Amino acid sequence: MAGKFNVIPQVALGELCVAIAALRRPEEVRDFLRALLTPPERARIALRWRLVCLLATGMKQRAIATRLGLSLCKITRGSRELKHGPRRFRLSVANSLSRRQFPPPRKRAQR
């Protein structure tokens, strides 16, 4: 019987993807996420997105960990997805970066 319950989240995820894909404007997606997720859940997702975008700018993992207060494990996962994850994910990150100006990584002072 346990196997049956593993299928439900996959079906629900598919339905969720369809619902999000039907939204046309960022405001609609924001309202949808506000209704569906708790504030901490939204914060975790937004933070995960920010770390992936910072990785894509070339910022070092340790600098991101310090800046965002995240573990290196979470950052390493994001890095792996940028390198080997779905092509559409990587394109979404690249498109986001091209539309938004992220601060460049800070250069260390020469001693």
Side-chain angles (χ1 to χ4, degrees):
M1 189 70 97
K4 182 178 182 180
F5 292 107
N6 291 333
V7 174
I8 293 171
Q10 293 305 313
V11 171
L13 180 60
E15 294 167 354
L16 176 62
C17 291
V18 170
I20 291 172
L23 301 172
R24 296 180 184 266
R25 296 188 324 267
E27 302 83 35
E28 293 174 339
V29 176
R30 185 176 37 250
D31 291 345
F32 182 88
L33 293 175
R34 280 187 177 147
L36 184 64
L37 303 171
T38 65
E41 290 168 335
R42 291 191 308 266
R44 281 193 301 270
I45 290 172
L47 197 58
R48 182 70 59 99
W49 179 251
R50 177 53 42 101
L51 87 84
V52 170
C53 290
L54 289 173
L55 282 168
T57 69
M59 185 178 280
K60 301 292 183 194
Q61 290 187 21
R62 289 195 185 277
I64 294 171
T66 300
R67 182 172 177 175
L68 300 180
L70 295 173
S71 72
L72 285 174
C73 292
K74 279 191 172 58
I75 296 166
T76 300
R77 184 183 187 290
S79 178
R80 186 172 50 249
E81 290 302 316
L82 278 176
K83 291 176 186 171
H84 308 292
R87 181 176 174 271
R88 287 187 181 116
F89 173 74
R90 295 190 315 265
L91 287 173
S92 293
V93 173
N95 288 338
S96 180
L97 291 178
S98 70
R99 289 189 306 269
R100 182 166 197 267
Q101 186 65 34
F102 279 87
R106 291 186 221 158
K107 302 214 186 252
R108 288 188 174 179
Q110 298 289 329
R111 291 184 183 197

